[in-house]
Amino acid sequence: MAPNGRSWKVALLNINDIWGSENPRTGEWEVLAVASNPLSHDGRELLKIEDNKVVKLSNIGLSMDLNTLWFASGHKYIIGGDGIFQAPLTAAEIWQRDPSFPSYYKTAVRGEALNDITIAGAFGLLMHFNGKDWQFYAHLLSQSIGLGSVAIKNEIIVAGGAKDNKGLILIGRRE
């Protein structure tokens, strides 16, 4: 008998983001992906790609709305969507929602190092971590802005999205 008492339901999930990082201790590359269908809430997966295979990792504690991930292999793992979640990547991890972040949907997280991480999201959400504190750029918040991607390199942060249904690019330089 199927879980719903009538028939089996197959959930096809979108892979929303993928990231890879070399583990400095082992020299091996780690590649992870997050998959979910945020509008339908019909599943979520954290996937590891290794040896040409896909392995499902623990998703305990994660929301059904996963959109992005970034990590420094062996150190810090961040998953975003309906919240920001962090955990060490072990066989029995339980992901913890970080309640200190604004409740806006997180669409992208990227970092250049453990002390240089940026998060973008709905309503113009833009945040940067300098290794000690998160800087929240509240002056960018607007119902008409949606940021869908972010990149960080050297002294520049670039976020892309839309404002009033027109393309928008934000560029920030480190002072």
Side-chain angles (χ1 to χ4, degrees):
M1 183 59 62
N4 68 7
R6 292 181 296 224
S7 63
W8 288 99
K9 179 181 176 188
V10 176
L12 299 175
L13 301 176
N14 294 323
I15 293 178
N16 297 322
D17 200 7
I18 188 168
W19 184 257
S21 171
E22 185 179 14
N23 186 314
R25 286 174 277 191
T26 66
E28 294 182 19
W29 276 86
E30 184 174 15
V31 179
L32 302 177
V34 289
S36 75
N37 295 327
L39 297 177
S40 62
H41 308 288
D42 60 3
R44 68 184 183 280
E45 295 293 345
L46 174 60
L47 307 169
K48 182 174 187 174
I49 302 164
E50 64 181 356
D51 299 326
N52 294 319
K53 295 180 202 161
V54 176
V55 178
K56 293 181 180 181
L57 300 178
S58 173
N59 61 17
I60 298 170
L62 293 173
S63 83
M64 296 298 276
D65 295 339
L66 306 177
N67 205 71
T68 188
L69 82 157
W70 179 85
F71 61 94
S73 184
H75 295 285
K76 186 178 200 83
Y77 296 81
I78 301 172
I79 295 177
D82 181 20
I84 288 291
F85 302 86
Q86 299 183 61
L89 200 62
T90 62
E93 74 260 6
I94 296 177
W95 292 89
Q96 299 294 320
R97 180 187 295 262
D98 187 332
S100 67
F101 284 85
S103 61
Y104 305 109
Y105 193 81
K106 287 71 173 178
T107 56
V109 57
R110 287 294 181 258
E112 191 165 34
L114 294 170
N115 63 350
D116 204 3
I117 303 168
T118 302
I119 294 174
F123 302 107
L125 174 71
L126 191 61
M127 300 181 74
H128 178 261
F129 182 66
N130 63 11
K132 183 179 175 193
D133 300 309
W134 282 96
Q135 173 68 44
F136 175 36
Y137 300 98
H139 66 282
L140 296 174
L141 291 178
S142 169
Q143 289 184 346
S144 64
I145 295 177
L147 298 176
S149 61
V150 68
I152 184 168
K153 184 71 175 171
N154 298 328
E155 306 296 315
I156 299 176
I157 295 172
V158 177
K163 179 178 181 180
D164 297 322
N165 295 318
K166 295 178 183 171
L168 174 69
I169 297 174
L170 300 175
I171 300 173
R173 289 180 171 71
R174 193 179 323 270
E175 293 179 357

